Amino acid sequence: MSGCVFCGIVAGEVAAFRVADEPDGVAFLDTRPVFAGHVLVVPRVHLVTLGELPADLLPGYFALVRRLAVAVETGLGAGGTFVAMNNKVSQSVPHLHTHVVPRTKGDGLRGFFWPRTRYQDDTEAQTYADRIAAAL
């Protein structure tokens, strides 16, 4: 898609520190990493949200994400990884992308800075569960 920086990276028109370039997607270093080695994985086709990813592309795309999560941990000697995706809200580039962030114990990252809450009671929790299940 014209004007999309991630499409430009996929096409080789925009420079990036590539980690993987495969039929199922392209992975490259985030230019503003949470921690050094923070990788973004994008599908080759321009899609904005996970909901737009065709079912036939899911296995290959998420297999690549899984492989990157293992490679980031192994290659960097990280204690683990944080794998995340935003859909619309907080999506700085409107192209589907998955973050693979290396983690180490005591690195200071606290739940990716998400405020945590509690349900008022089990009834409220069940109501939310039911609404999501009904939407499936």
Side-chain angles (χ1 to χ4, degrees), residues 27-97:
F28 49 91
L29 294 182
D30 192 314
T31 59
R32 296 179 331 167
V34 174
F35 299 116
H38 176 167
V39 174
L40 300 178
V41 185
V42 302
R44 291 190 162 281
V45 296
H46 182 82
L47 307 164
V48 176
T49 66
L50 180 59
E52 297 171 7
L53 187 65
D56 62 320
L57 298 182
L58 281 167
Y61 180 73
F62 280 104
L64 179 59
V65 170
R66 182 188 63 79
R67 287 179 41 232
L68 263 295
V70 172
V72 164
E73 184 175 335
T74 303
L76 301 178
T81 58
F82 179 77
V83 178
M85 178 185 299
N86 290 305
N87 277 295
K88 298 178 188 173
V89 176
S90 294
Q91 194 177 19
S92 58
V93 176
H95 183 120
L96 177 65
H97 57 284

Side-chain angles (χ1 to χ4, degrees), residues 68-125:
L68 263 295
V70 172
V72 164
E73 184 175 335
T74 303
L76 301 178
T81 58
F82 179 77
V83 178
M85 178 185 299
N86 290 305
N87 277 295
K88 298 178 188 173
V89 176
S90 294
Q91 194 177 19
S92 58
V93 176
H95 183 120
L96 177 65
H97 57 284
T98 306
H99 298 260
V100 180
V101 180
R103 297 292 313 271
T104 56
K105 187 172 179 146
D107 62 18
L109 191 61
R110 301 265 185 249
F112 216 63
F113 310 115
W114 293 330
R116 303 301 286 240
T117 61
R118 293 189 181 274
Y119 293 102
Q120 289 177 354
D121 52 33
D122 289 349
T123 301
E124 182 187 27

